[in-house]
Amino acid sequence: MPILSSDFLPAIEIESDEHPTHTILWMHGLGADGNDFVPIIQELELPPETTIRFIFPHAPKQSVSINGGLVMRAWYDIKNINLDHHEDEAGIRSSQQAIMAMIKRENQRGIPSANIVLAGFSQGGVMALQVGLRHPDKLAGIMALSSYLPLAHTLVKEAHTANTPTSIFMAHGSHDPIIPIHLAKASRQQLLEAGYQVKWHEYPMEHSVCAEELVDISKWLQDVLL
């Protein structure tokens, strides 16, 4: 599991075979790190004919207000229990630039944006939406698990039309106590009204990933990657 250059976010990188043609850039949730979703690769059971580079970056370490100022890996600070209030715009945009740099690096390594999926769980899914909707080149897909749309008021002004037709996979637990499902549904509605192609999935779970969800993720990935 090689670690990427220090010029970029540190990350775990795994290739399903030599000479990958596609990349899945998967961001973890608050307080976790890139190792969190490594085990999911085998569970997805993706077809071997699609050679994929999985990249699991580690978010920067920073103080998180809602957790008493404890320092942990976070894509941005959380200042309020109402996640769409008092958002850490500077932190979100800083992580956006870091993720954009990793996409550009993949382009330089021979993977076009059209063969890149941005994926993430919780804060990581938030960043997948933040970056993907603003990326100037069409992506293969955007996956936001147990997440919500950040800086929603800026979307109309900042969204790039290149990714209006891009498939967006959103999944959420109906009993999620961390990111309430009503917030995720409001995000879905805003995206639908803006003309995005949202594939919505809801499961009877809390803030987690379930087996049924993995099956749905696998099917979606095969659709957008093949």
Side-chain angles (χ1 to χ4, degrees):
M1 295 182 186
I3 303 299
L4 296 183
S5 163
S6 60
D7 292 338
F8 301 90
L9 289 170
I12 297 165
E13 181 180 297
I14 302 171
E15 296 177 356
S16 62
D17 206 341
E18 295 182 0
H19 311 299
T21 57
H22 296 73
T23 294
I24 298 177
L25 183 56
W26 199 310
M27 279 77 71
H28 62 77
L30 177 66
D33 64 18
N35 292 285
D36 204 29
F37 280 91
V38 170
I40 214 169
I41 294 176
Q42 298 302 320
E43 297 183 56
L44 291 175
E45 299 182 345
L46 296 174
E49 59 266 25
T50 304
T51 309
I52 301 170
R53 176 183 292 131
F54 288 87
I55 301 177
F56 301 96
H58 305 303
K61 290 183 178 179
Q62 60 183 292
S63 172
V64 177
S65 299
I66 202 169
N67 287 342
L70 290 176
V71 174
M72 61 188 68
R73 292 200 180 277
W75 296 104
Y76 53 90
D77 189 18
I78 299 177
K79 303 176 182 180
N80 193 294
I81 192 170
N82 296 314
L83 299 172
D84 55 348
H85 289 59
H86 307 293
E87 292 179 277
D88 176 20
E89 182 169 351
I92 291 171
R93 294 194 185 280
S94 176
S95 287
Q96 176 185 344
Q97 292 304 310
I99 295 166
M100 290 281 284
M102 298 191 81
I103 296 173
K104 184 176 181 180
R105 184 177 192 268
E106 287 306 286
N107 296 156
Q108 294 169 344
R109 298 167 90 186
I111 310 294
S113 294
N115 287 3
I116 297 175
V117 170
L118 290 186
F121 173 79
S122 195
Q123 266 202 347
V126 169
M127 292 312 307
L129 289 170
Q130 174 70 16
V131 176
L133 300 176
R134 292 161 175 78
H135 191 62
D137 300 310
K138 189 182 185 307
L139 297 162
I142 301 168
M143 184 197 308
L145 310 178
S146 302
S147 306
Y148 61 95
L149 182 66
L151 306 180
H153 64 286
T154 69
L155 181 63
V156 172
K157 181 179 179 181
E158 297 179 359
H160 200 289
T161 55
N163 281 293
T164 303
T166 299
S167 180
I168 301 174
F169 183 102
M170 291 188 73
H172 217 90
S174 55
H175 312 307
D176 192 332
I178 307 298
I179 299 179
I181 193 168
H182 69 78
L183 181 56
K185 285 184 173 180
S187 297
R188 174 193 62 174
Q189 187 61 33
Q190 181 174 347
L191 291 171
L192 288 172
E193 290 176 357
Y196 290 97
Q197 310 299 311
V198 180
K199 310 292 184 182
W200 174 263
H201 297 266
E202 188 174 326
Y203 309 95
M205 63 179 185
E206 295 191 355
H207 196 64
S208 60
V209 176
C210 64
E212 181 184 355
E213 184 176 9
L214 291 177
V215 172
D216 292 333
I217 290 171
S218 178
K219 290 178 181 177
W220 177 79
L221 283 173
Q222 291 179 56
D223 286 341
V224 301
L225 291 176
L226 296 181

